[in-house]
Amino acid sequence: QLTGLTYLYAATLADGCKRAASGGGCAWRWRARQYSPSLCVPPPLPLICSVLTDNTLDGPIPSTIGQLTALTFLVLTDNTLDGPIPSTIGQLTELNHLQLDYNQLSGPIPSTIGQITGLTALALALNSLTSYIPSEIGQLTNLKNLSLQGNPLCLPVPAEVDALAQYTYACTQGTCVETGPAGTAYIDFGILLPCQTLSPTADHVPP
């Protein structure tokens, strides 16, 4: 876990904490069993909760993040992280809250996210994620909130994912009536369009 944490630190702002420390603060705000906002070293491992919102972190998320297997809460919101979401994110099977929104992440949503079956909140909104929504997200039956808006994602929505939504509707001649609760998740897909110019590949397979 220490290796994974070190790579995450080095791959984003390796010296940002040092620069901030010289001004009396720390660019990384850690939350774990003991919250130590003024220290530029990780708290005692295993790290179970990491909130790094608005820390001006940039660059890609390293694949070694998958080594932080004790994490239950990971928030990297509102930074300038880019590149793909590593498939090793699926190794964080203890997570119940994952927020990667308000970044510059690109590429398809990795299907391995479906392995994190304890997730109750998944926020990937306002990035540059592309391709189809993986049907494996439908395995996250504990989800309460799923936000995907603000990404150029494609139709169709997999039936497995649609089944997570809170309500079902019956439509007749253009009039839709709510028929009752179905799943338990509040879902915001945003605006989805057909992927007319996307050729099916291993990473871009329609549901």
Side-chain angles (χ1 to χ4, degrees), residues 35-58:
Y35 180 36
S36 304
S38 63
L39 300 180
C40 290
V41 294
L45 296 178
L47 184 68
I48 59 172
C49 179
S50 181
V51 178
L52 300 174
T53 301
D54 192 18
N55 268 281
T56 63
L57 303 177
D58 59 14

Side-chain angles (χ1 to χ4, degrees), residues 39-112:
L39 300 180
C40 290
V41 294
L45 296 178
L47 184 68
I48 59 172
C49 179
S50 181
V51 178
L52 300 174
T53 301
D54 192 18
N55 268 281
T56 63
L57 303 177
D58 59 14
I61 300 172
S63 61
T64 45
I65 196 170
Q67 298 180 25
L68 302 177
T69 53
L71 275 179
T72 62
F73 198 96
L74 177 61
V75 178
L76 299 176
T77 297
D78 198 11
N79 287 287
T80 53
L81 298 169
D82 57 24
I85 300 172
S87 60
T88 52
I89 201 83
Q91 297 173 20
L92 306 181
T93 54
E94 296 300 313
L95 276 181
N96 57 54
H97 193 107
L98 175 60
Q99 284 187 230
L100 303 177
D101 48 335
Y102 290 88
N103 279 287
Q104 299 170 13
L105 299 170
S106 59
I109 298 171
S111 60
T112 53

